[in-house]
């Protein structure tokens, strides 16, 4: 189990959020090749969010995380050589890099995990967690050294808090329409309201504990 000083705080501000799964735990269905909602106790269940950074900023974050791994390895020589940041992926054009942080539904000891906090710009709980990719916000995660099943060492990030400053939600297919300002006052405003129709129109459906105890030793690959 990682020690408290194996955790390194990662704080990225004003980034574009990608593939947010914050309204519950999800797992990857290999048969459907897609993520699907699941119970927190299901195998592979996790809350997660990715974010996009320019390559220059990503290079700096990568160096910071690699340095943390090397510092942990100096304390724990049994750690293998550093190989990667889990959940990091470069774009095809090389202009941006995405990182992913997760929190598993259960801790390494099998006990239930708490959901990551999701807040709005005023630091109040976000009312609607069903945000879409393209939302903007700040992410706090905890990076720690991890070893994958193949014995390779790297850095994994546990999701802690997401502040959503510019949420984006599904529009119900209304992107084809423009936002139109209210009409200016006209001379017809002197008249009273039109008579009400005889029948109504149809309705339209429209940390207090050490981090290693709080976060557990789960490895969110």
């Amino acid at each position: 189990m990682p020690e408290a000083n194996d955790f390194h705080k990662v704080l990225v501000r004003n980034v574009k959020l990608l593939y947010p799964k914050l309204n519950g735990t999800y797992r990857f269905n290999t048969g459907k090749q897609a993520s699907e909602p699941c119970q927190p106790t299901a195998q592979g269940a996790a809350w997660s969010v990715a974010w996009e950074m320019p390559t220059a900023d990503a290079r700096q974050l990568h160096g910071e995380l690699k340095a943390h791994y090397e510092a942990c390895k100096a304390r724990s020589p049994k750690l293998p050589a550093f190989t990667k940041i889990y959940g990091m992926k470069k774009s095809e054009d090389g202009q941006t890099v995405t990182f992913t942080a997760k929190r598993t539904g259960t801790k390494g000891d099998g006990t239930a995990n708490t959901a990551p906090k999701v807040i709005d710009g005023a630091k109040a709980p976000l009312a609607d967690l069903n945000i879409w990719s393209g939302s903007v916000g700040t992410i706090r995660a905890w990076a720690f050294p991890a070893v994958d099943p193949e014995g390779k060492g790297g850095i994994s990030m546990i999701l802690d808090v997401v502040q959503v400053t510019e949420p984006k939600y599904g529009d119900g297919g209304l992107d084809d329409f423009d936002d139109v300002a209210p009409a200016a006052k006209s001379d017809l405003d002197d008249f009273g309201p039109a008579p009400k129709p005889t029948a109504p129109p149809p309705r339209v459906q429209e940390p207090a504990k050490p981090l290693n105890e709080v976060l557990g030793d789960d490895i969110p690959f």
Side-chain angles (χ1 to χ4, degrees):
M1 184 173 181
E3 300 295 331
N5 57 0
D6 287 340
F7 293 94
H8 174 73
K9 183 168 70 174
V10 176
L11 188 66
V12 289
R13 299 181 183 276
N14 301 319
V15 292
K16 183 166 74 172
L17 309 180
L18 301 174
Y19 320 118
K21 297 176 179 64
L22 303 171
N23 60 342
T25 49
Y26 289 72
R27 66 178 176 184
F28 188 73
N29 185 318
T30 55
K32 298 179 180 179
Q33 288 295 296
S35 294
E36 61 183 10
C38 65
Q39 292 297 316
T41 53
Q43 184 177 5
W47 298 271
S48 65
V49 67
W51 67 92
E52 184 179 80
M53 301 178 74
T55 300
D57 295 340
R59 186 177 294 114
Q60 182 176 351
L61 178 58
H62 182 279
E64 176 185 331
L65 297 178
K66 181 179 179 181
H68 175 63
Y69 185 92
E70 298 298 347
C72 294
K73 190 175 187 310
R75 295 191 300 269
S76 304
K78 291 184 178 181
L79 280 173
F82 173 85
T83 59
K84 66 176 73 175
I85 308 294
Y86 296 106
M88 173 181 166
K89 184 178 181 181
K90 297 178 182 179
S91 63
E92 292 184 0
D93 61 10
Q95 299 300 306
T96 60
V97 178
T98 59
F99 295 85
T100 301
K102 297 181 179 182
R103 176 173 286 208
T104 55
T106 56
K107 298 180 182 180
D109 61 5
T111 58
N113 226 338
T114 56
K117 293 181 180 179
V118 185
I119 58 177
D120 60 20
K123 300 182 182 180
L126 188 67
D128 187 349
L129 299 179
N130 297 292
I131 61 171
W132 282 30
S133 290
S135 299
V136 176
T138 295
I139 296 172
R140 186 173 75 190
W142 296 95
F144 72 99
V147 180
D148 68 16
E150 298 178 353
K152 296 180 180 180
I155 285 288
S156 191
M157 287 186 279
I158 297 178
L159 184 59
D160 186 17
V161 181
V162 181
Q163 183 181 42
V164 185
T165 52
E166 298 178 30
K168 181 177 180 181
Y169 296 100
D171 58 19
L174 300 181
D175 264 350
D176 292 331
F177 298 91
D178 297 325
D179 293 327
V180 181
K185 181 178 174 66
S186 72
D187 55 357
L188 295 181
D189 288 338
D190 293 333
F191 296 86
K196 294 182 179 180
T198 55
R203 299 183 65 181
V204 180
Q205 298 294 330
E206 299 277 296
K209 294 182 179 180
L211 282 172
N212 56 324
E213 293 183 19
V214 175
L215 299 177
D217 59 354
D218 48 338
I219 301 177
F221 294 119

